[in-house]
Amino acid sequence: MIFAIAANFGLVAGIIRAKKRSTAYTPSVLKHLWIVFLGFLPQFFVFFLPVTREQIPNQWVPVILIGSQLLLLLFVWLNRKQAGIWLMGFGLILNLIVICLNNGWMPISPETLDQLQVSSNSWQLWQRHGFSKDMVIPVSDTRAWILSDVFKINLFNFYKVAFSLGDVLVAGGIFTFLWSAGAPKSLHKEYAK
């Protein structure tokens, strides 16, 4: 969800930027978009689609999550000359580091779940949290804790989410990419060099 928010704000900011400069809003063409689809598709089946997420064994989740992250990093590398892409890549690398250091799972602490007002009956230590990518791990046992899902949004108990520093950087990269599309075409050429 943080990525959708970044995309919406980036799009609006880019359009406003283009209007203020009396230029067309023209996003750069990203190469190999099919890799993003291929990278996201396994996550869709494992984390979002109810029919499949209940059937996929937890032992497969780390392999699928790491493979998905590697595909997204390949996409970033192939588009590294575009505005914001390096920021996205750095965020993906930070997420990949903490996931790999914690046996293929994104750690989330009991304290974070408590602050999000998640019922303690709905999670157990050293277990996957629901159908998410998160494993509930005490802070003292989390490797690279600062890179885990430590940031929180709790809007009136309506929208609750924990996210990582890597997620913030990926969102920042998405925002930057869409915002830069409002720049004059000469600046687009500078980014592509």
Side-chain angles (χ1 to χ4, degrees), residues 108 112-118 152-154 160-162:
I108 190 165
T112 297
L113 291 170
D114 286 343
Q115 290 168 357
L116 289 174
Q117 300 174 347
V118 176
K152 300 157 284 292
I153 296 175
N154 188 351
K160 301 176 186 181
V161 67

Side-chain angles (χ1 to χ4, degrees), residues 73-104:
L73 278 170
L74 173 62
F75 169 77
V76 164
W77 178 255
L78 294 171
N79 289 282
R80 63 191 177 276
K81 293 182 180 180
Q82 302 297 329
I85 296 294
W86 276 102
L87 194 56
M88 280 186 232
F90 189 51
L92 286 170
I93 288 169
L94 292 181
N95 282 345
L96 186 59
I97 287 170
V98 70
I99 288 168
C100 287
L101 289 175
N102 291 280
N103 301 318

Side-chain angles (χ1 to χ4, degrees), residues 61-72:
V61 174
V63 175
I64 292 168
L65 184 57
I66 291 170
S68 176
Q69 295 286 313
L70 291 172
L71 281 170
L72 294 173

